[in-house]
Amino acid sequence: AADYEIIHNKQTDDFESDGVEPYMALSQDIYNTSSQNFSKKWLSMVELVTAELEIEKTKRNIYLSVAKKYYDLLLAQKFLKLESSMLEQSRQDLKKAESKYKDGLVSEFEVIQSKTNMGRSDLNYRAKQNALEYANMALVTTLGLPIDTSMSAVDVGFPKPYSIDWNQCQKLAVKYNPELAIQRKALEQIPKYQTLAKRIAWLTLTMKAFVGEGSPEAEDEENEDMGVTFTISKTIFDSGITRRKIKITETKIKREESL
C-alpha cells in the first residue's frame, strides 16, 4: 500500500511538503486459528464422506449392471440357439410336406401352412439375432470395450444353496456394508471437530510485520520504517456462532449414532 501525506504549517498557512510513502504490511495468525479451520475442515470431511459413499454406490450399481447384462447376453444366446433348432425343424417339416404333396398324401393347404410356419420361425430367429446383438452391445458398452467387440457369455455353474436365517442376514449386512463402514469412520472423526469448535473461543495470537514509513503501525514516522507487533485477542460476543457450531457437532454425533 501507499500513504500520501501533506504537511501543513498552521502559522504560515502554507503547505511545506507532500509525498507518497509506500509500505508493506503482513498479518499472520500464529495460535488458535480454529475459527477459520473449523469450517474448512468440516466441509472437507463432509465432502470426503459424501464422495466415498457415492463411489460405493457407483461400484454396487456397476456390479449389478454387469451381472444383469451378462445374464441378458447368456439368455439371448440360449434363446437364439433354441430358435435356431425350431427354424431347422420348420424347414424339415416343409420338406416333408412338399414331398408328401408330390406323392398326393397331403393337400396343398398343408404345404402352405408349413411355409407359413417356417416364415414365422425365420422372423423369430432374426428377432432373436437382433436381441443377441443388442445384449452384446449393452455388455460391451458397460465394460468400456470397443463397440464392435463380439462377446460370448459362458454358462455359469451355480453354487450350492446357502441357508441363512433373518438374524444372520442382518448381522452380515451390518458387518460388511461399505456405506456403514464409511459412516462409522466419519462418526469417529466428529468428536475432533467438537473439540475444535470449543477452541474458537480461546485467545488468538496474531503477528503483524510492516516495512515502510507509511504504515499505520509506524509510531515514529521519521525513524521507524519497519517493525513487528504481536497481538493477543479474544472474541467477547460472537452472536452464538461458537455455541451453534458445537451444537451442530453434537447433533451430528447423535444422528450418526442413531443411524
Side-chain angles (χ1 to χ4, degrees):
D3 179 50
Y4 179 71
E5 183 179 26
I6 299 177
I7 300 177
H8 179 239
N9 191 328
K10 294 182 179 180
Q11 296 179 352
T12 62
D13 198 25
D14 294 331
F15 295 105
E16 292 183 355
S17 64
D18 64 345
V20 177
E21 296 179 338
Y23 67 93
M24 181 174 65
L26 302 174
S27 177
Q28 174 65 47
D29 290 334
I30 300 175
Y31 177 72
N32 192 17
T33 58
S34 303
S35 180
Q36 299 93 326
N37 289 344
F38 178 85
S39 299
K40 295 177 182 178
K41 290 184 177 180
W42 179 264
L43 181 61
S44 297
M45 187 270 287
V46 172
E47 289 182 348
L48 178 61
V49 171
T50 303
E52 289 177 343
L53 289 173
E54 287 299 321
I55 288 174
E56 291 300 328
K57 290 179 182 178
T58 302
K59 285 165 62 177
R60 179 179 288 107
N61 290 336
I62 288 175
Y63 294 151
L64 293 174
S65 179
V66 169
K68 181 182 183 303
K69 289 179 173 59
Y70 184 88
Y71 283 103
D72 285 346
L73 178 61
L74 183 61
L75 194 60
Q77 291 174 180
K78 291 181 179 295
F79 278 143
L80 182 63
K81 185 177 179 180
L82 179 62
E83 201 62 49
S84 176
S85 64
M86 294 177 68
L87 178 60
E88 183 60 30
Q89 183 62 46
S90 295
R91 287 198 185 101
Q92 296 298 326
D93 292 342
L94 178 59
K95 288 180 180 180
K96 290 180 181 179
E98 289 175 339
S99 177
K100 290 181 179 180
Y101 177 71
K102 289 179 181 180
D103 296 336
L105 299 176
V106 296
S107 65
E108 186 179 1
F109 175 77
E110 292 191 22
V111 176
I112 295 174
Q113 190 176 31
S114 297
K115 287 182 179 179
T116 303
N117 291 337
M118 195 190 76
R120 188 183 300 112
S121 295
D122 185 61
L123 288 175
N124 291 338
Y125 179 78
R126 293 177 186 276
K128 293 298 186 291
Q129 275 186 321
N130 292 336
L132 179 60
E133 291 176 3
Y134 177 81
N136 180 85
M137 183 181 65
L139 180 58
V140 165
T141 304
T142 302
L143 297 178
L145 299 175
I147 195 67
D148 57 349
T149 304
S150 180
M151 303 194 72
S152 177
V154 180
D155 209 345
V156 180
F158 291 95
K160 295 180 180 179
Y162 180 74
S163 300
I164 185 170
D165 60 32
W166 174 244
N167 291 330
Q168 288 176 317
C169 196
Q170 285 184 310
K171 290 179 181 178
L172 287 175
V174 171
K175 183 177 181 180
Y176 295 110
N177 184 271
E179 285 95 340
L180 193 57
I182 294 172
Q183 295 285 3
R184 284 199 192 99
K185 185 172 67 173
L187 183 59
E188 293 173 357
Q189 297 178 14
I190 291 176
K192 294 189 298 184
Y193 295 94
Q194 191 175 26
T195 302
L196 187 63
K198 293 178 180 179
R199 291 177 182 172
I200 295 176
W202 292 6
L203 296 173
T204 301
L205 176 62
T206 305
M207 181 189 74
K208 293 183 178 180
F210 66 91
V211 178
E213 294 181 358
S215 172
E217 282 80 5
E219 296 180 359
D220 188 343
E221 297 181 355
E222 295 182 0
N223 300 320
E224 190 171 354
D225 60 355
M226 66 176 61
V228 178
T229 60
F230 292 91
T231 304
I232 297 176
S233 60
K234 185 181 188 303
T235 302
I236 299 175
F237 179 71
D238 65 354
S239 303
I241 294 175
T242 302
R243 180 176 55 81
R244 285 196 296 273
K245 288 181 178 179
I246 296 173
K247 190 67 177 177
I248 287 172
T249 55
E250 291 176 349
T251 305
K252 184 72 175 176
I253 290 174
K254 292 179 180 178
R255 178 177 176 273
E256 294 299 327
E257 285 178 343
S258 64
L259 287 175

